[in-house]
Amino acid sequence: MPDDILALWPLAPASETGWLAELAQGDGLTGYEVPGRPDAAWVLGGIYERGTSAGDSVNDSRSRDEHPGPGWERLRWAELADRIGDPVVPQGLYPGFRCFPSTKAAGIRPGSIEWPAEGSLDRPTWDQLIRFLTEHSLQGADTACLACYNPLVTQDFEKGQVRSGRLGDAPSLFDIPDILYTPSNLWATDRSWVVCTDYDVWGTKVCGAGPLIEALLGDPEIEAIRLPWTS
């Protein structure tokens, strides 16, 4: 399996990230804007709630999470926010560990909720995002893409890791050997959209044309929200 994935996503020249460098402004997270397409939304990582018959989660809270297992149910951020009276994401923050400060006061039992991993989408959410991008890209599954990984993710500070492949094969990026994160960036080579996952957040920012972002916000499976450009 690892060899098959690497064959689908061979290494590409590090110079392919030059476009991202042109886009990066400030901290490189809030500043990703596609020229002529200044819209964005955050895809929120999966929160899961333990049911009465659930066993221990299959995840180890390190990164790249699977569905936790039988008896665990997806808990939408909006549902949890409504339940405990917190905003989905507090003003001035990104999706992350500072969200939902009222869980303890609201009586949420420790261990009853599994929070998203930092710096990586969980597999169900990653698959949903790739499905969405495939449906809304002109070449569909054959859309040519590039994926790159932050050196903090690869622990290779001498050179970056960039890979090229088809959007239809992007679900397999979840299983790239020795990298326990989804890509830091994924983008179509026609530059119609770009995805950014920062190392310490619980979500992924998608930038693209207005209609794409509106469709993302209205998608029935993905939970996505629009945040201000700056904090």
Side-chain angles (χ1 to χ4, degrees):
M1 175 66 78
D3 289 342
D4 292 342
I5 298 171
L6 297 181
L8 291 173
W9 290 92
L11 289 171
S15 59
E16 292 286 2
T17 61
W19 180 61
L20 293 180
E22 294 174 8
L23 292 180
Q25 301 171 7
D27 62 5
L29 177 64
T30 59
Y32 280 120
E33 299 184 30
V34 181
R37 300 173 175 83
D39 208 353
W42 285 85
V43 174
L44 302 175
I47 297 175
Y48 294 89
E49 187 170 31
R50 183 195 295 267
T52 55
S53 62
D56 291 337
S57 171
V58 300
N59 299 312
D60 58 11
S61 300
R62 291 177 58 199
S63 54
R64 205 168 59 178
D65 285 348
E66 304 282 352
H67 184 285
W72 290 83
E73 298 293 336
R74 182 72 173 263
L75 177 61
R76 293 182 72 84
W77 289 52
E79 180 184 344
L80 179 57
D82 184 65
R83 183 190 302 179
I84 66 177
D86 284 339
V88 174
V89 176
Q91 181 67 29
L93 296 182
Y94 301 122
F97 71 92
R98 291 187 177 89
C99 296
F100 305 113
S102 302
T103 51
K104 185 175 181 180
I108 302 295
R109 293 179 292 108
S112 64
I113 287 179
E114 180 169 292
W115 303 106
E118 291 188 340
S120 179
L121 289 180
D122 55 290
R123 188 189 295 272
T125 305
W126 175 251
D127 288 347
Q128 289 172 350
L129 176 58
I130 299 306
R131 184 267 308 160
F132 172 86
L133 291 172
T134 300
E135 290 179 357
H136 292 271
S137 296
L138 288 178
Q139 301 302 316
D142 289 328
T143 299
C145 294
L146 290 157
C148 74
Y149 296 85
N150 188 307
L152 290 172
V153 166
T154 62
Q155 294 298 299
D156 182 357
F157 295 93
E158 297 298 322
K159 57 183 179 179
Q161 184 169 143
V162 185
R163 295 185 175 274
S164 62
R166 296 170 61 254
L167 183 56
D169 295 323
S172 67
L173 288 170
F174 196 88
D175 298 303
I176 286 283
D178 302 322
I179 300 180
L180 300 179
Y181 298 82
T182 49
S184 306
N185 295 100
L186 178 73
W187 68 100
T189 57
D190 66 7
R191 303 183 179 181
S192 56
W193 50 261
V194 59
V195 170
C196 174
T197 306
D198 194 63
Y199 186 70
D200 57 358
V201 296
W202 289 356
T204 287
K205 187 176 183 181
V206 181
C207 297
L212 173 76
I213 300 304
E214 291 299 330
L216 181 62
L217 292 167
D219 189 90
E221 293 184 17
I222 297 173
E223 190 172 16
I225 61 173
R226 182 183 275 115
L227 294 178
W229 281 110
T230 64
S231 59

